[in-house]
Amino acid sequence: MNYKINELFETIQGEGSFTGQPSIFIRLQGCPVGCSWCDTKHTWDIELADQVSPEVMLNKTEETVQWANFSAEDVLALVKDKGFQAKHIVITGGEPCMVDLTPLCAALEQQGYSTQIETSGTFEIITTEKCWVTVSPKINMRGGYKVLASAMSRANEIKHPVATEQHIDELKALLAQHKVVNTPIYIQPISQKKRATELAIASCIANNWRLSVQVHKYIGIE
């Protein structure tokens, strides 16, 4: 099975439970959800005209729509060839759960890597048992997709971007609908602006949730 990869790089995880963890990010191409604040809109569309060789994709110096096909074995070979030291791998997008991630995660886990998926919760999550699933539920987005009960029940953590009280209300309704009780809840300001951050902090204190502040953006890394 081949995966359409837009980026593959080593950095520090800046969000959620693994904040500060050295990580290898695999960014897949394709997402129909349509979040207005998305900071990776270049990964939305899958166009055959944008397919390039793995070498061209890996040598990109800026964000582009270009993607390349990689098998799980190709990914493992590349990680070793690059000399990456991180043992945690984050599969994101785009919307990674548009495809079956089991072959990729299984191959990585067999080589001693831990795996994590970051998903909107609007597609069935098909992966290994060991994989850590971060659901960032996208509610009432332009694409019209619904957050799935199966995704909410599979989530190891829920990470919700907020800018307004409406976002908080939508999350509370979603948690009540799916009877989420013990899953860690992270609230993440959509921007680094004071108002959004203050709302996130107040909501965390009021509801015993946790704060995620996108550390990578504050320290200026990818």
Side-chain angles (χ1 to χ4, degrees):
M1 180 173 180
N2 284 327
Y3 296 92
K4 296 175 173 59
I5 297 180
N6 182 285
E7 289 184 278
L8 195 156
F9 57 94
E10 187 176 45
T11 186
I12 298 292
Q13 171 64 285
E15 303 176 1
S17 298
F18 290 96
T19 295
Q21 176 87 30
S23 302
I24 299 163
F25 274 73
I26 300 172
R27 189 179 303 285
L28 301 187
Q29 189 76 15
C31 182
V33 178
C35 306
S36 60
W37 64 81
C38 177
D39 55 5
T40 57
K41 290 182 179 180
H42 60 287
T43 67
W44 283 9
D45 299 321
I46 299 175
E47 301 288 350
L48 288 178
D50 297 327
Q51 182 178 1
V52 295
S53 69
E55 292 75 20
V56 169
M57 188 279 289
L58 291 167
N59 288 317
K60 292 193 294 185
T61 57
E62 60 184 2
E63 293 179 347
T64 77
V65 296
Q66 294 175 323
W67 55 270
N69 271 326
F70 282 79
S71 66
E73 293 72 24
D74 293 334
V75 170
L76 278 168
L78 176 62
V79 166
K80 292 177 181 177
D81 182 61
K82 289 287 186 182
F84 291 155
Q85 298 300 303
K87 300 298 288 183
H88 184 67
I89 296 186
V90 182
I91 304 168
T92 184
E95 172 45 69
C97 291
M98 290 173 65
V99 297
D100 181 356
L101 296 170
T102 307
L104 179 57
C105 289
L108 293 168
E109 289 164 5
Q110 286 167 9
Q111 295 300 312
Y113 294 95
S114 58
T115 59
Q116 176 184 4
I117 294 168
E118 296 184 346
T119 174
S120 65
T122 59
F123 287 81
E124 292 291 342
I125 299 168
I126 308 173
T127 188
T128 58
E129 268 188 44
K130 291 182 179 178
C131 182
W132 180 275
V133 175
T134 301
V135 173
S136 182
K138 299 304 186 288
I139 306 165
N140 298 326
M141 294 298 152
R142 187 178 68 184
Y145 290 83
K146 299 294 184 183
V147 177
L148 303 180
S150 60
M152 294 296 286
S153 64
R154 177 61 179 84
N156 295 104
E157 65 178 357
I158 293 168
K159 178 166 58 70
H160 191 58
V162 301
T164 67
E165 289 285 356
Q166 180 181 342
H167 296 139
I168 300 296
D169 293 340
E170 288 174 341
L171 175 61
K172 287 181 177 179
L174 189 70
L175 297 177
Q177 176 187 352
H178 296 291
K179 298 179 174 60
V180 176
V181 178
N182 296 317
T183 309
I185 309 296
Y186 285 86
I187 300 301
Q188 185 164 287
I190 288 175
S191 69
Q192 283 72 57
K193 293 180 180 179
K194 183 179 180 182
R195 180 179 176 184
T197 302
E198 288 179 345
L199 171 63
I201 292 170
S203 300
C204 287
I205 293 171
N207 297 281
N208 198 30
W209 294 335
R210 306 178 187 185
L211 183 68
S212 176
V213 293
Q214 294 187 293
V215 167
H216 55 291
K217 292 187 178 180
Y218 281 94
I219 62 179
I221 61 173
E222 189 171 8

